[in-house]
Amino acid sequence: MWLFHIDIPAKEVIYISWVTQNLQNALDTWNSKQAEIWQLITQSPEEFKGGTIWNVIVNIHEAVQATALGLLVLFFVVGVVKTCGSFTEVKKPEHVVKLFIRFILAKAAVTHGLELLMALFGVVQGLMANIMSASGIGGATDTVLPESIKTAIEDTGFFESIPLWAVTLIGGLFITVLSFVMILTVYGRFFKLYIYTAIAPVPLSTFAGEPSQGVGKAFIKSYCAVCLEGAIIVLACIIFSLFAASPPVVDPDAAAVVQVWSYVGELCFNLLILVGTVKMSSMVIREMMFNG
């Protein structure tokens, strides 16, 4: 009988400790992914994963240039045919000069497109550095489980802690899923930057012809949008860091289950706002700057 009374409290302690640890593990996963985002967002494509991917992309970019130069001539000829009503117009000096300048600029865009894209990326990186400097936040703020919540969980008995197990399990799973969705979005931005860089000579070659130049303009706009997604992600993380500095307020007089549920619910809501903003960064940029 004496051993029976000692064994039950030991199981309660292990069970309650597991409830607390489950929620803390989810927060640790979230904090690690948010810290990784801050690290990734300040990197350039050349630095990402040690530059191995970038070296391959540059080789592909140079290989695509050969095809783009052929397309350059084709777009130029099609443009001349469509924009000139007759052969007489082509013989006009001002028209010839205009066509010659267009061809030279289009060829420069194809052969020096990589430098152009990296210059645009550098401008956006400078913008993000200014945003972080002005905010005074240069890194992720850890989301910490409040001591009041830990105390509320530890003060519950074995049977009272069963609902807490369900709440923390669901909340922890939700937080973990959100953290991976957010980091996948940031990785996706790098993938888009690599894809745009690799194929860039082809859309840039369309500047050789007036009828086809819209493709090149759309490409530049889209690339700028991908770069600017980083600024939106940085702003979203800064705003969330300020949220994380003030943890959700719970009623200390309420039951432990109510306190934990209130905390997890408000925390998940805040995390969902951040993940939603990061996920929709591309849409936000296009609505802000490129509509119409």
Side-chain angles (χ1 to χ4, degrees):
M1 194 66 179
W2 172 256
L3 293 176
F4 176 81
H5 283 295
I6 293 178
D7 190 45
I8 292 299
K11 288 184 177 179
E12 288 182 12
V13 171
I14 294 173
Y15 190 88
I16 293 170
S17 177
W18 185 90
V19 171
T20 305
Q21 193 61 42
N22 181 51
L23 191 56
Q24 186 60 56
N25 287 340
L27 293 178
D28 290 342
T29 301
W30 170 267
N31 292 331
S32 67
K33 296 305 178 186
Q34 195 178 7
E36 187 177 357
I37 285 177
W38 279 95
Q39 181 183 5
L40 290 173
I41 210 67
T42 54
Q43 286 184 345
S44 65
E46 300 101 320
E47 300 168 339
F48 183 66
K49 296 298 181 181
T52 305
I53 303 175
W54 178 252
N55 293 332
V56 175
I57 294 301
V58 170
N59 292 335
I60 295 173
H61 178 93
E62 292 174 353
V64 172
Q65 276 185 349
T67 303
L69 290 173
L71 292 172
L72 178 75
V73 177
L74 177 62
F75 287 127
F76 178 74
V77 173
V78 172
V80 171
V81 171
K82 287 192 175 183
T83 55
C84 297
S86 64
F87 183 72
T88 306
E89 292 185 21
V90 181
K91 294 192 294 183
K92 293 180 180 179
E94 65 275 11
H95 205 82
V96 173
V97 171
K98 180 180 177 182
L99 292 173
F100 178 74
I101 293 175
R102 173 181 287 276
F103 183 83
I104 294 299
L105 292 176
K107 185 177 184 302
V110 172
T111 55
H112 300 285
L114 185 60
E115 291 84 350
L116 172 64
L117 297 182
M118 293 314 299
L120 292 173
F121 182 84
V123 171
V124 176
Q125 288 295 95
L127 172 64
M128 291 191 294
N130 291 336
I131 291 173
M132 289 188 284
S133 176
S135 67
I137 299 175
T141 301
D142 287 345
T143 303
V144 181
L145 188 64
E147 290 297 328
S148 59
I149 298 297
K150 292 182 181 179
T151 303
I153 295 174
E154 292 169 358
D155 288 343
T156 57
F158 178 78
F159 293 105
E160 291 84 357
S161 65
I162 294 177
L164 292 179
W165 176 85
V167 171
T168 54
L169 182 63
I170 296 172
L173 179 62
F174 191 71
I175 293 170
T176 302
V177 169
L178 287 179
S179 64
F180 279 99
V181 169
M182 184 172 62
I183 196 67
L184 283 174
T185 303
V186 178
Y187 273 101
R189 174 177 175 264
F190 268 102
F191 273 65
K192 286 188 286 185
L193 286 172
Y194 287 135
I195 292 170
Y196 274 73
T197 303
I199 204 69
V202 173
L204 290 177
S205 67
T206 61
F207 281 114
E210 188 174 341
S212 59
Q213 66 181 356
V215 176
K217 291 179 180 179
F219 172 79
I220 295 295
K221 284 184 177 180
S222 296
Y223 181 79
C224 290
V226 173
C227 292
L228 285 169
E229 285 177 23
I232 298 300
I233 293 172
V234 166
L235 284 170
C237 290
I238 288 173
I239 294 171
F240 178 78
S241 294
L242 300 176
F243 269 111
S246 302
V249 179
V250 297
D251 183 6
D253 298 326
V257 176
V258 176
Q259 291 186 46
V260 175
W261 180 255
S262 177
Y263 171 79
V264 171
E266 189 173 345
L267 178 63
C268 288
F269 178 75
N270 292 338
L271 301 187
L272 189 60
I273 292 176
L274 173 60
V275 174
T277 305
V278 170
K279 191 72 177 172
M280 295 188 299
S281 56
S282 176
M283 184 185 303
V284 171
I285 286 295
R286 282 174 170 79
E287 288 181 352
M288 187 184 302
M289 302 185 65
F290 302 119
N291 262 356

